[in-house]
Amino acid sequence: MTHASPVPTARLSGRRVVVTGGARGIGASIARRFRGEGADVAILDLLEEQGRATAAEIGGTFHRVDLSDEQNTRDALGEAMDALSGIDVLVNNAGILRFAPLLEISVADWDAMFQINTRAMLVTTQVAAKRMIAQKSPGKIINMASMGGKTGGAGQGHYAASKAAVIALTRVTALELGAHSITANCLCPGYVLTEMGAATRTEADIAQWSSYSPLGRLAQPDDVAGVAAFLASPDADYLTGQSFNVTGGMIMH
């Protein structure tokens, strides 16, 4: 059964939004949803061709970034904020996923996972939050964690640990930036059936994972984008420091 996308509203009208990893998958769905709800959107991604195509499709801007490079990250985000004439919402969506048994994870693999999934998020949060504070206006930071950050997963020691760190970083961000009217929340998706995910999983895999949800299906990127749009909207102004499970009930804590 195909899950229908909700009808867009204008509740994000005038919001200036930066989405990292917005070229494809969940990030592209978030960018489309935000733009459909009236936001001005800038996409940051390493995938230049796909990023430019997505930005052109939604009428946003694209800025190439290498999140493993601190200075390039700062520069690219600064460029994106300048293009938007400021920033109201930062969506830290970009991340990588690799598999390895616990006893075979190298220090280099561990560091690479944290470099993209967690350290880059710290850098973008610092840069965007300073701009939000200087603007003297409320801001929102939405971080992409994972169900794995709460439950772990065999073969995902470095990934799960990096996403658990995202949850902790989000809470500290909420605690420290609340005085500036900046909220910080994170999303913890389960199995999301992106184009890449569908191409690397068999029908049996998809059926098995679907059975773990009381709803009997996997998430579509739009399922995650809808929750992100809610968190970016005025409806979520009093929510901060929370990690929201977008798992179809696969976990309930």
Side-chain angles (χ1 to χ4, degrees):
M1 181 178 70
T2 301
H3 182 61
S5 299
V7 176
T9 68
R11 62 181 171 173
L12 301 182
S13 180
R15 296 289 175 102
R16 298 161 295 182
V17 180
V18 175
V19 181
T20 70
R24 64 181 183 182
I26 295 172
S29 289
I30 290 173
R32 291 187 188 100
R33 177 62 180 265
F34 280 41
R35 184 67 179 134
E37 294 208 24
D40 295 320
V41 179
I43 291 172
L44 266 64
D45 208 300
L46 185 64
L47 302 174
E48 188 162 0
E49 183 176 349
Q50 289 176 286
R52 291 192 182 281
T54 301
E57 171 196 336
I58 67 173
T61 63
F62 172 77
H63 309 269
R64 186 182 184 279
V65 66
D66 178 358
L67 291 172
S68 68
D69 183 318
E70 177 189 353
Q71 191 57 52
N72 180 253
T73 300
R74 292 182 182 277
D75 291 344
L77 179 52
E79 178 185 286
M81 293 189 297
D82 287 345
L84 294 169
S85 298
I87 183 170
D88 300 299
V89 182
L90 170 66
V91 182
N92 280 312
N93 166 75
I96 59 174
L97 169 61
R98 295 170 185 161
F99 297 93
L102 181 66
L103 301 185
E104 297 177 16
I105 297 173
S106 68
V107 170
D109 287 341
W110 178 276
D111 289 347
M113 191 73 70
F114 272 81
Q115 188 177 55
I116 300 299
N117 290 359
T118 312
R119 192 190 76 181
M121 195 174 291
L122 169 66
V123 174
T124 56
T125 295
Q126 290 174 333
V127 173
K130 287 176 181 177
R131 186 70 169 260
M132 291 173 181
I133 292 169
Q135 292 170 176
K136 300 186 184 300
S137 60
K140 293 176 181 281
I141 297 172
I142 302 169
N143 296 330
M144 193 63 65
S146 168
M147 179 172 72
K150 293 186 174 182
T151 64
Q156 297 182 17
H158 44 352
Y159 175 77
S162 73
K163 292 300 187 177
V166 168
I167 295 171
L169 177 62
T170 301
R171 291 171 178 164
V172 173
T173 302
L175 286 169
E176 294 198 16
L177 300 185
H180 300 285
S181 298
I182 297 172
T183 64
N185 294 286
C186 67
L187 302 177
C188 299
Y191 194 132
V192 183
L193 201 58
T194 61
E195 299 93 333
M196 182 172 63
T200 57
R201 298 292 186 270
T202 66
E203 290 187 10
D205 291 333
I206 293 172
Q208 181 178 4
W209 274 97
S210 296
S211 71
Y212 298 151
S213 165
L215 301 178
R217 68 174 180 86
L218 300 181
Q220 297 290 335
D222 283 348
D223 291 311
V224 184
V227 182
F230 162 70
L231 290 175
S233 78
D235 295 328
D237 281 353
Y238 199 60
L239 289 176
T240 195
Q242 306 303 310
S243 52
F244 294 89
N245 300 325
V246 191
T247 67
M250 290 183 188
I251 62 171
M252 298 185 180
H253 63 81

